[in-house]
């Protein structure tokens, strides 16, 4: 239990990829030294963090091998806290860490590529190590009975093994996040070992924990995807909208100042400067509480807690209430006759003020919508400020803003109603039809996986209060579409997908939603191998049966992309009839072989 308590001093304040909070004021870049981190973390926490980092970099090494390296690094760090420190202690932590790895002869033997990496200077050396990380490991977990026995006798050993497995299976996951998951794993084990049905408990709870792990990783990757694919202004704008949403109380000056610092922090993390990234995170909780009265009326309950509870409370804190004075209409951007002068004086700051004003007032709107509205406001000013009467030109800005918001809410309600009426599986099939027509070049498995995730997002977000629904849906869908755009970057899909992926970040989701069928797609001719039916569908579980039916649906659309919805439904119904008939026949496969050409011929006649 002691390990869990100690590591929580670090981890609760670390997941800033999903919850942006403020880092300490600093006007100059600075590197932390290993003694600073060692003193801040305590020895046991320092060793846990070091284990995560070496496990991510040296994925083939056993826990026993890495434990020796961790102890060496720990002993060196401890020596740097005394009076007899060596000049090496003054090196940046990242440089020192890779120096230690490269000095270990076993690293050169076990990892041939490390010789090339170790010949480089930082930051290229660190980037080289990162480039050789592998993402194909499968976690090795002991059985529940073994887990409980080990947890009772040697809890530290069990948790160290979890850190090792989690880190090497998720080599790009922030090491502090690995420790957060380790803390949660420890609580999970403690709970399940008291349960009568341990197997069931571990299966359910581990599934939840791994889902949380993937969620953390997905959000982290998304921030870095933005940093790597868009100008810096995009991540700055997103952070400003996020800060203004979460903390509507601060004025623009304070919100903008923190936005600049957060952007610097995220860039450090995404560019692989993991040690700077982590040490900056450790300062966030205390600094936030120093500014609690300026930031949020809800922070005090967190800041009055002991450090252990305080940091987690801040990370999971809900948006602050919108101050009463913000209920008044925003007039300074559309009713002030001097708008064009202020805009011309400093465009970036003026647009930042606009984004801050609408974001702090409209927590019910998504960050993506708010960024898009700022982009459209910029276009409006660029047009209006060239006219003879700019105020007359831009006076309709608020009405346009609200009309667009109403359209988004109506579309959202339409989809949530459809999900509620038809259920997740049928709703997923509707999405599958739409997106197969939009990008038929994508593999069946990817399309099915993508639309399944979309339906999951709908299931989750349609259940939250209406004031949180748009931020939930559009935020999660944007992350999912960004994954598709990453695929597009590596393997070209089609021109219209490429267009949406190269469009603005804020408009990416709405661009995908508005896509029609790919008119340039040429369907492949139907052959005997196009559709494959076998008797496995008669004996498999319901989930796999649904997957087989969806594969048929995708294949059908790919060979008949212009087929109308009613004809798709008719073919799907005939497919189900065939399955029911053949699964009750004496010879399942013979029946499928006989009925398959009849079904295909029937469906082809329906194709225009």
């Amino acid at each position: 239990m002691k390990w869990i308590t100690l590591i929580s001093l670090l981890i609760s304040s670390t997941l800033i990829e999903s919850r942006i909070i403020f880092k300490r004021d600093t006007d100059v870049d600075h590197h932390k030294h290993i003694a600073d981190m060692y003193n801040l973390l305590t020895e046991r926490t320092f060793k846990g963090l070091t284990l995560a980092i070496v496990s991510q970099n040296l994925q083939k090494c056993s826990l026993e091998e890495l434990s020796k390296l961790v102890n060496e690094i720990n002993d060196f760090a401890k020596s740097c806290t005394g009076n007899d420190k060596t000049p090496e202690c003054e090196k940046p932590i990242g440089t020192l860490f890779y120096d230690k790895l490269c000095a270990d002869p076993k690293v050169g033997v076990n990892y041939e590529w490390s010789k090339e990496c170790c010949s480089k200077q930082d930051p290229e050396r660190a980037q080289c190590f990162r480039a050789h990380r592998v993402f194909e490991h499968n976690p090795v977990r002991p059985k529940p009975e073994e887990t409980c026995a080990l947890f009772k006798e040697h809890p530290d050993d069990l948790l160290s093994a979890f850190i090792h497995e989690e880190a090497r299976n998720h080599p790009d996951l922030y090491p502090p996040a690995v420790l957060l998951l380790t803390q949660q794993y420890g609580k999970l084990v403690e709970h399940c070992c008291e349960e009568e049905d341990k197997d069931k408990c571990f299966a359910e709870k581990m599934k939840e924990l791994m889902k949380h792990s993937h969620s953390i990783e997905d959000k982290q990757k998304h921030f870095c995807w933005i940093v790597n694919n868009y100008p810096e202004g995009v991540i700055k704008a997103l952070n400003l909208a996020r800060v203004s949403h979460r903390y509507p109380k601060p004025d623009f000056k304070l919100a903008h100042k923190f936005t600049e610092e957060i952007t610097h922090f995220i860039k450090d993390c995404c560019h692989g400067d993991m040690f700077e990234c982590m040490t900056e995170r450790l300062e966030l909780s205390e600094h936030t509480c120093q500014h609690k009265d300026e930031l949020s009326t809800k922070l005090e309950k967190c800041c009055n807690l002991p450090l252990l509870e305080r940091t987690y409370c801040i990370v999971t804190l809900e948006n602050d209430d919108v101050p009463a004075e913000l209920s008044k209409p925003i007039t300074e951007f559309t009713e002030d006759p001097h708008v064009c002068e202020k805009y011309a004086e400093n465009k970036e700051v003026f647009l930042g003020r606009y984004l801050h004003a609408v974001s702090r007032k409209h927590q019910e709107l998504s960050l993506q919508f708010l960024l898009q509205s700022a982009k459209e406001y910029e276009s409006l000013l660029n047009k209006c400020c060239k006219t003879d009467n700019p105020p007359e030109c831009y006076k309709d800005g608020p009405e346009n803003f609200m009309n667009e918001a109403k359209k988004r809410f109506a579309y959202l309600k339409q989809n949530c109603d459809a999900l509620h009426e038809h259920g997740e599986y049928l709703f997923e099939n509707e999405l599958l039809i739409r997106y197969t027509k939009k990008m038929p070049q994508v593999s069946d498995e990817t399309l099915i996986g993508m639309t399944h995730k979309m339906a999951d997002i709908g299931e989750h977000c349609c259940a939250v209060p209406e004031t949180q629904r748009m931020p939930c849906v559009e935020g999660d869908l944007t992350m999912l579409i960004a994954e598709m755009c990453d695929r597009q970057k590596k393997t070209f899909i089609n021109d219209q997908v490429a267009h949406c992926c190269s469009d603005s970040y804020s408009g990416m989701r709405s661009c995908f939603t508005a896509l029609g069928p790919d008119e340039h797609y040429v369907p492949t001719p139907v052959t005997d191998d196009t559709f494959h039916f076998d008797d496995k569908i008669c004996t498999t579980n319901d989930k796999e049966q649904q997957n087989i039916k969806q594969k048929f649906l995708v294949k059908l659309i790919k060979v008949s992309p212009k087929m109308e919805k009613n004809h798709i439904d008719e073919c799907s119904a005939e497919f189900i009839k065939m399955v029911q008939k053949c699964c009750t026949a004496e010879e399942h496969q013979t029946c499928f072989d006989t009925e398959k050409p009849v079904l295909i011929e029937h469906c082809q006649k329906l194709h225009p």
Side-chain angles (χ1 to χ4, degrees):
M1 304 313 112
K2 188 177 181 184
W3 175 277
I4 299 172
T5 303
L6 285 167
I7 63 174
S8 358
L9 297 177
L10 166 68
I11 46 82
S12 298
S13 62
T14 62
L15 301 182
I16 313 311
E17 64 279 355
S18 59
R19 309 251 184 209
I20 298 294
I21 52 181
F22 305 141
K23 68 176 254 189
R24 187 175 64 185
D25 296 330
T26 177
D27 294 323
V28 295
D29 290 335
H30 61 285
H31 291 287
K32 286 289 189 297
H33 299 127
I34 197 166
D36 299 325
M37 181 178 277
Y38 185 85
N39 288 330
L40 192 59
L41 300 182
T42 78
E43 180 173 317
R44 294 173 73 83
T45 308
F46 179 87
K47 290 175 76 172
L49 192 58
T50 305
L51 175 59
I53 296 169
V54 295
S55 298
Q56 289 178 326
N57 282 277
L58 306 175
Q59 293 166 279
K60 290 192 296 184
C61 288
S62 68
L63 176 58
E64 291 70 26
E65 290 171 314
L66 294 181
S67 294
K68 295 176 184 177
L69 183 57
V70 168
N71 286 331
E72 289 175 17
I73 294 173
N74 181 73
D75 290 344
F76 176 78
K78 188 187 295 185
S79 72
C80 290
T81 63
N83 295 324
D84 299 328
K85 61 180 69 175
T86 66
E88 269 196 312
C89 295
E90 300 303 314
K91 289 182 178 179
I93 301 175
T95 300
L96 195 55
F97 173 76
Y98 286 107
D99 281 352
K100 293 295 179 186
L101 290 193
C102 290
D104 189 330
K106 290 183 180 178
V107 172
V109 172
N110 293 330
Y111 303 89
E112 186 66 30
W113 50 261
S114 69
K115 295 174 183 176
E116 178 194 350
C117 294
C118 291
S119 67
K120 300 177 183 289
Q121 298 297 313
D122 288 327
E124 286 77 14
R125 180 173 60 169
Q127 291 166 357
C128 182
F129 268 87
R130 285 171 63 86
H132 284 88
R133 293 177 179 179
V134 180
F135 295 85
E136 298 177 355
H137 292 284
N138 292 311
V140 178
R141 311 272 189 227
K143 293 179 179 178
E145 290 296 342
E146 297 172 14
T147 299
C148 293
L150 185 57
F151 190 65
K152 185 177 180 181
E153 299 295 328
H154 304 287
D156 283 3
D157 291 349
L158 179 69
L159 296 176
S160 293
F162 182 86
I163 291 174
H164 177 238
E165 285 297 317
E166 186 67 14
R168 73 193 195 103
N169 277 281
H170 300 276
D172 278 349
L173 186 62
Y174 291 155
V178 175
L179 297 192
L180 168 67
L181 295 166
T182 304
Q183 180 199 33
Q184 294 175 342
Y185 175 69
K187 292 179 179 178
L188 177 160
V189 172
E190 192 171 15
H191 167 74
C192 287
C193 289
E194 298 295 324
E195 293 293 304
E196 186 174 340
D197 192 342
K198 294 178 176 57
D199 289 352
K200 181 182 178 183
C201 182
F202 271 97
E204 291 175 352
K205 298 295 182 182
M206 283 301 295
K207 184 178 180 181
E208 291 175 13
L209 184 63
M210 290 302 100
K211 187 176 181 180
H212 186 201
S213 172
H214 290 306
S215 174
I216 293 168
E217 196 166 28
D218 288 346
K219 288 171 182 174
Q220 172 187 313
K221 286 179 179 177
H222 185 64
F223 274 108
C224 294
W225 183 81
I226 297 170
V227 168
N228 294 329
N229 287 277
Y230 292 96
E232 187 175 308
V234 174
I235 191 68
K236 281 186 180 180
L238 186 66
N239 287 335
L240 177 59
R242 187 180 295 273
V243 168
S244 306
H245 244 190
R246 187 170 185 137
Y247 300 120
K249 194 177 175 184
D251 62 11
F252 171 72
K253 183 177 180 181
L254 187 60
H256 180 261
K257 174 185 175 186
F258 284 135
T259 296
E260 291 289 329
E261 294 174 348
I262 293 165
T263 301
H264 179 270
F265 159 80
I266 290 175
K267 285 170 62 182
D268 272 355
C269 297
C270 294
H271 291 157
D273 198 344
M274 201 57 68
F275 296 92
E276 284 298 302
C277 166
M278 289 187 296
T279 51
E280 287 172 1
R281 288 175 179 218
L282 299 177
E283 302 164 347
L284 293 174
S285 178
E286 182 182 357
H287 183 60
T288 303
C289 287
Q290 288 171 355
H291 290 272
K292 68 180 188 297
D293 294 333
E294 300 166 80
L295 295 176
S296 172
T297 59
K298 299 185 178 182
L299 270 171
E300 186 160 1
K301 67 178 182 182
C302 298
C303 297
N304 288 335
L305 295 171
L307 179 60
L308 177 61
E309 292 88 2
R310 182 197 313 167
T311 49
Y312 183 75
C313 179
I314 292 171
V315 168
T316 56
L317 190 69
E318 70 274 16
N319 289 345
D320 195 15
D321 298 329
V322 178
E325 61 268 22
L326 295 184
S327 62
K328 299 175 183 177
I330 303 171
T331 59
E332 63 178 296
F333 300 100
T334 52
E335 295 183 17
D336 183 347
H338 304 292
V339 161
C340 291
E341 295 167 35
K342 294 176 180 178
Y343 176 57
E345 185 178 337
N346 193 324
K347 292 185 178 182
E348 184 179 341
V349 171
F350 188 74
L351 292 173
R353 287 183 180 278
Y354 170 83
L355 181 58
H356 171 251
V358 294
S359 299
R360 69 201 293 228
K361 181 179 174 64
H362 293 286
Q363 293 179 335
E364 77 282 6
L365 301 176
S366 69
L367 301 179
Q368 291 73 23
F369 177 88
L370 293 164
L371 263 62
Q372 197 164 7
S373 78
K375 189 169 178 284
E376 288 171 0
Y377 179 64
E378 179 183 18
S379 298
L380 181 68
L381 292 187
N382 286 339
K383 179 185 77 171
C384 292
C385 292
K386 295 175 183 176
T387 66
D388 295 333
N389 190 349
E392 180 63 26
C393 178
Y394 56 64
K395 69 179 176 62
D396 293 330
E399 184 179 350
N400 296 338
F401 175 89
M402 293 311 299
N403 285 341
E404 183 57 35
K406 287 175 184 176
K407 287 180 186 176
R408 294 279 183 104
F409 283 122
Y411 182 75
L412 189 53
K413 183 179 185 304
Q414 177 188 339
N415 279 277
C416 286
D417 288 348
L419 175 60
H420 179 72
E421 181 182 349
H422 301 300
E424 186 170 355
Y425 175 65
L426 293 179
F427 180 72
E428 191 175 318
N429 287 348
E430 293 296 316
L431 294 173
L432 196 53
I433 294 170
R434 282 187 230 166
Y435 278 85
T436 303
K437 289 190 173 191
K438 292 174 196 276
M439 41 189 185
Q441 299 85 355
V442 175
S443 72
D444 301 356
E445 291 76 14
T446 300
L447 283 164
I448 292 170
M450 180 181 182
T451 51
H452 180 68
K453 288 179 182 178
M454 285 181 168
D456 278 351
I457 289 169
E459 190 76 20
H460 166 64
C461 294
C462 291
V464 304
E466 285 191 22
T467 53
Q468 300 170 23
R469 201 169 285 175
M470 190 198 292
C472 179
V473 168
E474 296 207 351
D476 286 358
L477 281 180
T478 299
M479 284 174 48
L480 183 58
I481 289 168
E483 289 179 24
M484 183 55 64
C485 287
D486 213 29
R487 290 175 184 268
Q488 154 78 22
K489 202 171 182 180
K490 296 166 187 171
T491 306
F492 183 78
I493 297 173
N494 62 41
D495 289 335
Q496 59 178 10
V497 170
H499 166 71
C500 287
C501 291
S502 60
D503 198 4
S504 67
Y505 171 77
S506 58
M508 185 170 59
R509 198 280 311 159
S510 53
C511 182
F512 261 83
T513 300
L515 285 182
D518 180 7
E519 299 296 340
H520 301 292
Y521 171 68
V522 178
T524 54
V526 178
T527 67
D528 289 340
D529 296 327
T530 302
F531 294 93
H532 177 68
F533 307 132
D534 61 39
D535 59 358
K536 184 175 73 171
I537 193 172
C538 301
T539 56
T540 192
N541 58 45
D542 290 346
K543 186 176 180 180
E544 184 57 33
Q545 278 190 11
Q546 290 179 345
N547 187 260
I548 291 170
K549 291 172 186 175
Q550 288 182 331
K551 284 181 179 177
F552 169 76
L553 185 60
V554 173
K555 290 285 189 190
L556 177 65
I557 297 167
K558 285 186 174 183
V559 298
S560 308
K562 295 185 179 180
M563 184 178 283
E564 296 294 335
K565 175 67 169 58
N566 61 319
H567 290 153
I568 292 173
D569 291 342
E570 183 179 335
C571 279
S572 298
E574 290 299 318
F575 170 76
I576 292 171
K577 285 180 186 177
M578 180 193 71
V579 171
Q580 291 170 342
K581 177 180 178 180
C582 292
C583 287
T584 55
E586 190 171 333
E587 293 290 338
H588 296 172
Q589 192 58 55
T590 303
C591 178
F592 279 118
D593 292 341
T594 303
E595 294 296 326
K596 171 181 166 180
V598 178
L599 174 67
I600 302 307
E601 183 181 358
H602 177 80
C603 291
Q604 284 185 313
K605 286 180 180 178
L606 299 175
H607 185 248

